[in-house]
Amino acid sequence: MQFESWQAFIEMGGYGFYVWLAFGVSFLALALVVVQGLRARSKLEQEFVKEQQRQLRLARRKQEVS
Amino acid sequence: MWRWLHPYAKPEVVYRLLGRWLPWVSIGAAAVLATGLVWGLAFAPADYQQGDSYRIIFVHVPTAMFSMSLYIAMAVAAFVGRVWQLKMADWALAAIAPIGIVFTFISLFTGAVWGKPMWGTWWEWDARLTSQLILFFLYIGVLALYHAFSDNRTGAKAAGILAMVGVINIPIIRYSVDWWNSLHQGATLTVFERPPMANSMLIPLLTCMLGFALLAGALVMQRMRNEILRQELRRPWVKMELQQGEQA
């Protein structure tokens, strides 16, 4: 460990603001892209379910008509 | 070779293969990246000139490097898509571009935040910084073109051409620090020479690079699976795949 205390670790030899800003925003950007990918996936699954239900409705209507 | 490769041209095979690999690559990325970053932040020695501010390097250099590698990968995919009419190569554009945007953004942002205490300015219209900014806009252009047409193939074609033309920017970024007088320092790591960096800093940096490489891989795999699903949503194999998933 290069730092003697948590305080020194946070301060980063006076560059704390810059170091933690860089790391914080990078982490945030990566977290956002992961979450967005997962949300896109669940949206696709919902779309798939909707499509299945639509197909089912269409099939039923066809039966009713004939 | 073609016979061996042929099954891999099927979307469902690629989808399942990526699904099998994704958890392992993700776990690997998280573990290696956490190790590398903690090592770089807390255990690597401070720089004798830049003090602790240099620790930004552990994010800045890997993301900058892979922002370029990802672009080359994307351009190769575009080329394969155009020449061999491989639709999945086209889809790879949509998988790689968002990750490239994020990596380029991180490299620009961490560079600015590092530049402020070291150079006294957040931004300078200097060759390296400007060409990297152009890379950012190229990625955005490729992604926007890809999704700009109601016909997917037209969009992929347009995006692919932009991706291929944009490759010219990669050597410009790479050699900008040699060709022009730049505020930016020269390359820290080169393939053929021993890097002028102490092992105590080099090893955590290489660890971070492996971590970011795995992370880029995992993210691209995730996006690729999404794109395959989006394109094939009405195919029977998707029905089997997703309904099995629901029951399990």
Side-chain angles (χ1 to χ4, degrees), chain A residues 9-36:
Chain A
F9 181 61
I10 305 278
E11 276 169 13
M12 282 279 155
Y15 294 113
F17 171 72
Y18 300 106
V19 172
W20 295 117
L21 181 64
F23 274 78
V25 170
S26 305
F27 181 80
L28 204 71
L30 290 171
L32 277 176
V33 83
V34 170
V35 168
Q36 207 242 323

Side-chain angles (χ1 to χ4, degrees), chain A:
Chain A
M1 187 86 178
Q2 281 296 310
F3 298 95
E4 283 162 10
S5 61
W6 275 107
Q7 188 62 27
F9 181 61
I10 305 278
E11 276 169 13
M12 282 279 155
Y15 294 113
F17 171 72
Y18 300 106
V19 172
W20 295 117
L21 181 64
F23 274 78
V25 170
S26 305
F27 181 80
L28 204 71
L30 290 171
L32 277 176
V33 83
V34 170
V35 168
Q36 207 242 323
L38 292 174
R39 277 186 55 189
R41 162 86 198 192
S42 66
K43 233 181 225 169
L44 281 168
E45 279 169 7
Q46 282 166 15
E47 205 176 306
F48 167 80
V49 170
K50 244 184 225 164
E51 177 65 22
Q52 290 315 103
Q53 286 167 346
R54 198 180 72 96
Q55 300 268 355
L56 223 78
R57 272 203 310 278
L58 280 176
R60 240 178 249 150
R61 199 165 301 163
K62 231 181 214 168
Q63 262 183 354
E64 281 167 19
V65 169
S66 59

Side-chain angles (χ1 to χ4, degrees), chain B residues 224-240:
Chain B
M224 190 65 194
R225 266 165 69 86
N226 281 355
E227 183 64 15
I228 291 175
L229 213 56
R230 191 175 78 87
Q231 299 276 359
E232 302 264 295
L233 207 57
R234 283 166 201 190
R235 296 285 166 88
W237 73 265
V238 172
K239 196 172 173 177
M240 294 197 4

Side-chain angles (χ1 to χ4, degrees), chain B residues 125-165:
Chain B
W125 292 102
D126 141 301
R128 170 56 71 82
L129 279 61
T130 309
S131 52
Q132 182 74 358
L133 185 65
I134 290 172
L135 182 72
F136 183 63
F137 291 132
L138 276 171
Y139 271 127
I140 292 179
V142 168
L143 191 63
L145 269 180
Y146 188 91
H147 291 292
F149 298 84
S150 47
D151 176 29
N152 265 309
R153 275 176 305 176
T154 316
K157 208 170 176 178
I161 289 166
L162 178 61
M164 282 187 277
V165 173

Side-chain angles (χ1 to χ4, degrees), chain B:
Chain B
M1 190 183 110
W2 292 118
R3 187 177 288 175
W4 178 80
L5 270 177
H6 190 70
Y8 292 98
K10 273 189 180 164
E12 61 260 50
V13 175
V14 174
Y15 180 87
R16 285 183 196 126
L17 202 68
L18 291 177
R20 216 172 303 145
W21 280 80
L22 185 55
W24 300 106
V25 180
S26 307
I27 292 169
V32 175
L33 204 54
T35 310
L37 290 179
V38 169
W39 194 344
L41 271 172
F43 295 93
D47 187 67
Y48 80 102
Q49 272 184 326
Q50 303 196 357
D52 287 314
S53 76
Y54 96 97
R55 294 183 196 278
I56 294 174
I57 205 177
F58 296 110
V59 178
H60 180 73
V61 165
T63 50
M65 239 181 78
F66 295 123
S67 70
M68 291 190 273
S69 321
L70 282 169
Y71 194 93
I72 294 172
M74 187 174 77
V76 169
F79 182 79
V80 171
R82 287 278 59 73
V83 172
W84 288 287
Q85 304 287 315
L86 215 66
K87 55 188 176 173
M88 269 200 294
D90 282 340
W91 300 350
L93 288 180
I96 298 173
I99 313 310
I101 291 175
V102 173
F103 271 56
T104 313
F105 166 76
I106 291 176
S107 74
L108 284 167
F109 187 85
T110 53
V113 174
W114 195 1
K116 183 62 184 166
M118 289 300 115
W119 301 339
T121 176
W122 299 99
W123 184 261
E124 190 64 47
W125 292 102
D126 141 301
R128 170 56 71 82
L129 279 61
T130 309
S131 52
Q132 182 74 358
L133 185 65
I134 290 172
L135 182 72
F136 183 63
F137 291 132
L138 276 171
Y139 271 127
I140 292 179
V142 168
L143 191 63
L145 269 180
Y146 188 91
H147 291 292
F149 298 84
S150 47
D151 176 29
N152 265 309
R153 275 176 305 176
T154 316
K157 208 170 176 178
I161 289 166
L162 178 61
M164 282 187 277
V165 173
V167 160
I168 188 66
N169 193 37
I170 296 296
I172 296 179
I173 299 174
R174 182 73 180 79
Y175 295 108
S176 57
V177 285
D178 303 327
W179 292 343
W180 292 285
N181 282 322
S182 173
L183 213 52
H184 198 284
Q185 67 190 64
T188 312
L189 303 174
T190 43
V191 180
F192 300 109
E193 287 165 50
R194 229 200 100 70
M197 201 180 188
N199 272 339
S200 53
M201 297 175 179
L202 182 65
I203 297 171
L205 181 58
L206 292 176
T207 311
C208 286
M209 278 160 62
L210 179 64
F212 274 108
L214 288 169
L215 180 65
L219 289 170
V220 168
M221 285 161 77
Q222 181 199 34
R223 299 271 154 163
M224 190 65 194
R225 266 165 69 86
N226 281 355
E227 183 64 15
I228 291 175
L229 213 56
R230 191 175 78 87
Q231 299 276 359
E232 302 264 295
L233 207 57
R234 283 166 201 190
R235 296 285 166 88
W237 73 265
V238 172
K239 196 172 173 177
M240 294 197 4
E241 194 73 33
L242 288 186
Q243 280 171 350
Q244 266 176 10
E246 273 164 25
Q247 284 158 10

